Amino acid sequence: MLITRKAEFSASHLCRIPSLSDEENFRVYGSDANPNGHGHNYILEVTISGDPDPRTGMIMDLKDLKRIIEDEVVEPMDHRSLNHEVPPFDHVVPTAENVAGEIWRRLEIKVKTGRAQLYRIRLWETSDLSVEVSAA
Amino acid sequence: MKTTVTRRYRFAASHRLHIDTLSEAENSALYGKCNNPFGHGHDYVLDVSVAGPVDSKTGKMFGIDALDRLVNRAVLADFEHRNINRDLPEFRGLVPTTENISLVIAERLGQSWNSAMPASTALARIYVEETGRNSFEVNCTVPNSTNA
């Protein structure tokens, strides 16, 4: 069985590789390479899998999942500059792919409780672009 | 860790669900309002999902411009503001249900994929919303799953 919980955070970022020229960065990242950055209202969908506990009827207490998402993602990333304030994006380019991968790594280890495991995350950078990460 | 990137597109098109070999009453019973002789239209939402490795240097799976060009050329140029029954050759003998529209889009993207997208990427999934209340998904990673 799968359960999905949603969260939102707003953050700024810019996508540039320091060793590349301005022209090359704009070619790779388009307007995401604007040196002064820009922002998004990210929407995060976190899906866990597992079998409900026969006594409680729950896979995982959703209060706990809410707290994990809050502690690992929303609190550190909401209203922040990802490049300046959220490691590893001081040296890893915060593309939607990399932000989604980092969120997967942060949540996977915390969600692993008795019955539940992280099944999939989906990060919407805009309403037209999303990245899903799941176990291989 | 498996990563899938999804890009959303939209197109407005009209269609009519009708099988020529059936009677008017049979078509009406089968397709209801969708059989209206003058057709009707929808604002379709199309999500194209791509699977592949993320480049460790750029942090990107592929350049979004390449996918936009492919989808514009292979799908939107023909579907946007068109009558699907009359303007698209695939539907001359095929009822344009959203099931069939999804399969045709998957087929069109699959045919042009290798010439338009990096070899490391693969078409993973097609998702089409006919209206906000119904949606259709084709898993493109399973061989033959797109065959009607």
Side-chain angles (χ1 to χ4, degrees):
Chain A
M1 188 180 284
L2 304 178
I3 303 177
T4 299
R5 180 154 182 105
K6 213 168 176 177
E8 294 175 31
F9 61 95
S10 302
S12 63
H13 77 154
L14 63 102
C15 296
R16 288 177 80 86
I17 298 174
S19 60
L20 296 184
S21 68
D22 265 8
E23 194 187 352
E24 287 169 313
N25 272 306
F26 276 106
R27 190 181 51 74
V28 175
Y29 297 113
S31 53
D32 282 349
N34 171 26
N36 295 325
H38 62 280
H40 297 288
N41 296 326
Y42 291 91
I43 295 173
L44 174 65
E45 294 167 8
V46 177
T47 303
I48 61 166
S49 65
D51 296 318
D53 182 307
R55 190 176 64 84
T56 64
M58 298 193 296
I59 296 172
M60 176 180 185
D61 190 332
L62 285 184
K63 281 199 305 294
D64 295 338
L65 181 59
K66 181 185 175 185
R67 185 183 44 74
I68 290 170
I69 296 170
E70 189 68 29
D71 290 351
E72 299 299 321
V73 181
V74 177
E75 199 282 331
M77 298 188 191
D78 187 37
H79 283 71
R80 301 284 180 174
S81 160
L82 298 180
N83 302 71
H84 293 97
E85 298 179 278
V86 185
F89 301 116
D90 51 336
H91 65 280
V92 171
V93 187
T95 58
E97 291 92 327
N98 279 345
V99 176
E102 173 64 14
I103 291 172
W104 170 269
R105 280 186 288 274
R106 288 180 179 215
L107 295 181
E108 187 190 24
I109 191 166
K110 298 282 180 180
V111 167
K112 208 165 271 174
T113 63
R115 318 189 71 88
Q117 55 184 340
L118 190 60
Y119 178 78
R120 180 181 63 221
I121 66 138
R122 185 171 197 175
L123 180 70
W124 296 81
E125 187 180 85
T126 69
S127 56
D128 290 341
L129 183 73
S130 66
V131 176
E132 289 159 80
V133 178
S134 57
Chain B
M1 207 169 85
K2 184 185 162 204
T3 306
T4 307
V5 175
T6 298
R7 179 83 155 151
R8 176 159 288 190
Y9 304 91
R10 294 172 177 83
F11 60 91
S14 65
H15 73 160
R16 182 199 185 195
L17 305 187
H18 182 85
I19 298 175
D20 289 340
T21 54
L22 296 184
S23 69
E24 274 185 40
E26 286 169 322
N27 270 301
S28 181
L30 184 57
Y31 293 122
K33 276 188 185 175
C34 295
N35 183 238
N36 172 27
F38 300 104
H40 63 282
H42 299 286
D43 288 306
Y44 291 90
V45 170
L46 166 64
D47 284 356
V48 178
S49 296
V50 184
V54 176
D55 183 279
S56 59
K57 186 175 166 211
T58 64
K60 288 167 72 82
M61 186 186 291
F62 57 90
I64 211 79
D65 290 354
L67 183 65
D68 287 352
R69 279 194 300 272
L70 168 63
V71 176
N72 275 314
R73 179 169 51 79
V75 180
L76 302 181
D78 289 339
F79 281 77
E80 172 68 328
H81 278 74
R82 298 298 178 105
N83 179 314
I84 295 175
N85 301 68
R86 293 181 186 171
D87 293 330
L88 287 157
E90 288 99 331
F91 294 98
R92 298 233 165 91
L94 184 67
V95 187
T97 58
T98 312
E99 291 91 327
N100 282 336
I101 291 170
S102 305
L103 292 167
V104 166
I105 290 172
E107 183 74 25
R108 282 177 169 230
L109 292 177
Q111 277 172 6
S112 300
W113 197 265
N114 291 341
S115 59
M117 293 290 290
S120 57
T121 64
L123 179 61
R125 186 178 61 223
I126 294 296
Y127 167 96
V128 179
E129 283 182 12
E130 184 181 50
T131 72
R133 292 192 183 82
N134 56 45
S135 63
F136 303 73
E137 284 183 49
V138 181
N139 179 353
C140 304
T141 58
V142 182
N144 299 322
S145 72
T146 58
N147 290 344

